[in-house]
Amino acid sequence: KNQVEQSPQSLIILEGKNCTLQCNYTVSPFSNLRWYKQDTGRGPVSLTIMTFSENTKSNGRYTATLDADTKQSSLHITASQLSDSASYICVVRGDTDKLIFGTGTRLQVFP
Amino acid sequence: AAGVIQSPRHLIKEKRETATLKCYPIPRHDTVYWYQQGPGQDPQFLISFYEKMQSDKGSIPDRFSAQQFSDYHSELNMSSLELGDSALYFCASSWDRGLGNTIYFGEGSWLTVV
């Protein structure tokens, strides 16, 4: 069982709409949680990084939340743009250098 | 701003050959990570280096070796290549083992083994 599960697996929205992506993890011990955006065949691009004590962090139209008690995180995208079409990956770091990647959510934004 | 530079971007090798991938981290970053991403799969952690010493080791085959040099660039050497080694290899870098810091990924090196 993957230690980082994301939902939905895929999502289609219209340009200008908001959406929220979910991430549940079981990684323990927990160091931090990151959200990355990855275009097909390209390197992941960091959106946010949150540690145990942080509940919310924003980066432009991206807002991430973290509930370390329930081991859940969400990524909210506001006023979506066509360029937001990509895979969004929740990545959790434990007590080693290894990043544990989630299953990803494939987002498609249509005009 | 400078990013993580990987070379070559594309590489085609035959089975049992050897390949070397290079990674140049963002200036002043002291930590380098290597990941392997097969088609439709999540990136798998291979190995990491901090201050030129191996920091952590993941699912790196014995046929692979890597090192970080004095200028902090890193090389991943892959020998006796197998068809299953065909994948996108990412290098990433960060400051101070990425503890609380952003880890930046390169664009990846596509390895195709035929």
Side-chain angles (χ1 to χ4, degrees):
Chain A
K1 178 173 167 56
N2 200 315
Q3 297 181 73
V4 183
E5 299 277 355
Q6 292 184 242
S7 63
Q9 190 173 16
S10 62
L11 183 62
I12 297 174
I13 61 174
L14 294 177
E15 186 179 15
K17 298 297 185 181
N18 304 334
C19 66
T20 300
L21 314 180
Q22 302 291 340
C23 173
N24 298 323
Y25 63 93
T26 59
V27 178
S28 182
F30 170 83
S31 176
N32 53 59
L33 184 146
R34 307 159 189 259
W35 283 93
Y36 281 88
K37 176 185 178 185
Q38 185 178 24
D39 293 309
T40 302
R42 305 291 298 274
V45 175
S46 178
L47 297 177
T48 65
I49 174 173
M50 302 178 72
T51 58
F52 184 89
S53 59
E54 296 175 297
N55 299 120
T56 303
K57 182 165 282 189
S58 293
N59 176 7
R61 294 181 297 105
Y62 302 104
T63 299
T65 66
L66 174 64
D67 186 334
D69 291 331
T70 61
K71 298 188 177 181
Q72 295 179 326
S73 176
S74 67
L75 180 69
H76 185 75
I77 304 175
T78 304
S80 61
Q81 300 175 359
L82 297 179
S83 59
D84 291 334
S85 295
S87 289
Y88 289 83
I89 307 173
C90 175
V91 183
V92 178
R93 178 172 178 157
D95 59 354
T96 69
D97 288 353
K98 176 182 175 181
L99 295 178
I100 301 170
F101 286 73
T103 49
T105 292
R106 176 67 187 165
L107 174 65
Q108 293 179 274
V109 181
F110 286 171
Chain B
V4 179
I5 306 298
Q6 292 189 243
S7 67
R9 290 298 314 279
H10 300 271
L11 190 60
I12 299 176
K13 289 286 186 179
E14 295 187 354
K15 285 194 304 183
R16 293 179 289 278
E17 283 194 321
T18 298
T20 297
L21 306 181
K22 296 184 178 183
C23 170
Y24 297 87
I26 291 173
R28 292 184 295 281
H29 278 191
D30 53 16
T31 309
V32 168
Y33 317 78
W34 285 97
Y35 283 83
Q36 177 192 59
Q37 186 173 27
Q41 298 179 3
D42 304 330
Q44 297 298 312
F45 174 69
L46 294 179
I47 195 167
S48 61
F49 293 89
Y50 170 63
E51 281 293 343
K52 295 158 278 185
M53 300 285 289
Q54 182 179 306
S55 175
D56 201 356
K57 194 173 183 179
S59 51
I60 183 170
D62 292 339
R63 300 176 289 107
F64 292 9
S65 65
Q67 63 180 121
Q68 187 179 28
F69 294 86
S70 58
D71 63 351
Y72 293 98
H73 94 273
S74 178
E75 294 182 6
L76 177 65
N77 298 294
M78 300 173 285
S79 62
S80 303
L81 288 170
E82 302 173 356
L83 296 178
D85 295 329
S86 295
L88 181 57
Y89 289 82
F90 287 113
C91 172
S93 77
S94 71
W95 167 248
D96 195 22
R97 295 184 65 192
L99 296 170
N101 301 314
T102 300
I103 296 175
Y104 296 87
F105 282 79
E107 290 295 337
S109 291
W110 283 98
L111 171 65
T112 302
V113 181
V114 297

